[in-house]
Amino acid sequence: RYFWDTEMYLLPFFLYTAPEKARDLLLYRHFTLDGARHKARAYGYEGAMVPWVTIDGEERSGDFEYGMLEQHTGTAVAHAIREYVEATGDDDFLWEYGAELLIEIARFWASRVAWSPRRRQYVINFVTGPDEYAVAVNNNCYTNYTAKCALEYAAAAAQRMEVGQPARWQSLTARLALRPAEPARWREVAAGLYI
């Protein structure tokens, strides 16, 4: 079984001892992306809601408070992509696989946040963070902060790909029906997210 811990705790070990294995772990997340998309749609969100625990891309946790509310898994995947690309310089991975994952993870978070008129910021309510004893909380600091980082990195990777790999970018955005305003929206949400 695949848990969020894979990207956050196991991938760094492989990244500096057997980087090809780290790449394989990330390729698995790309291979199972359709399951994450299905999960997002099932809960009324856009993009990809990466499962908390999976075997085949579908959520395999039988516990609602974990399978539905531990939504930070995608942020761990985005973090791992960033770490992998920065450590290895494997930009081809980013263009071929990572960018699609990042776009779908950013789409999820952009659709998941809510605007709080009281705070005058975006909030993420009703989640369980990696502290599994605090179930269904509002604005879990870990979740909000890592969602902010995922949104920022997705926007930066999109800009980098659009400028440096325009043909690949055009092909990817056409395939994903990415609206031109979406990366700016990710930046806006990240800048306004309550921490």
Side-chain angles (χ1 to χ4, degrees):
R1 293 212 251 179
Y2 229 77
F3 287 84
W4 76 278
D5 311 55
T6 302
E7 285 81 18
M8 198 51 76
Y9 296 112
L10 299 178
L11 189 134
F13 168 78
F14 290 111
L15 181 55
Y16 294 105
T17 59
E20 69 281 358
K21 298 297 182 197
R23 188 178 199 273
D24 287 345
L25 291 174
L26 291 171
L27 283 173
Y28 173 80
R29 287 297 191 182
H30 187 268
F31 176 74
T32 60
L33 186 54
D34 282 340
R37 288 177 173 130
H38 176 261
K39 183 178 178 184
R41 283 192 307 273
Y43 288 107
Y45 301 116
E46 294 181 27
M49 184 176 174
V50 179
W52 181 66
V53 75
T54 190
I55 298 168
D56 56 1
E58 298 293 328
E59 181 62 61
R60 296 300 175 197
S61 171
D63 297 316
F64 173 79
E65 64 268 23
Y66 303 128
M68 167 51 183
L69 300 182
E70 290 220 30
Q71 298 171 356
H72 55 82
T73 308
T75 70
V77 173
H79 176 77
I81 292 168
R82 182 178 201 153
E83 292 291 303
Y84 172 78
V85 172
E86 287 180 359
T88 64
D90 187 357
D91 286 342
D92 270 343
F93 172 84
L94 182 60
W95 312 142
E96 290 297 316
Y97 307 103
E100 183 174 4
L101 281 161
L102 291 168
I103 287 168
E104 296 294 37
I105 290 166
R107 281 176 152 173
F108 168 74
W109 286 111
S111 71
R112 174 62 177 88
V113 300
W115 178 255
S116 169
R118 183 176 66 83
R119 290 191 188 278
R120 299 178 59 88
Q121 289 182 284
Y122 291 103
V123 296
I124 303 173
N125 293 330
F126 203 65
V127 295
T128 299
D131 168 13
E132 295 166 3
Y133 299 101
V135 177
V137 300
N138 294 340
N139 297 307
N140 169 271
C141 184
Y142 177 90
T143 302
N144 287 31
Y145 181 74
T146 58
K148 175 184 176 70
C149 293
L151 287 158
E152 290 170 344
Y153 183 52
Q159 183 177 16
R160 186 172 167 226
M161 188 174 185
E162 184 177 13
V163 171
Q165 298 287 320
R168 283 174 154 171
W169 175 248
Q170 189 172 31
S171 174
L172 180 62
T173 57
R175 186 165 50 84
L176 298 181
L178 184 74
R179 298 175 300 278
E182 285 187 76
R185 165 79 174 148
W186 306 336
R187 286 187 194 90
E188 175 203 340
V189 171
L193 192 56
Y194 174 70
I195 306 295

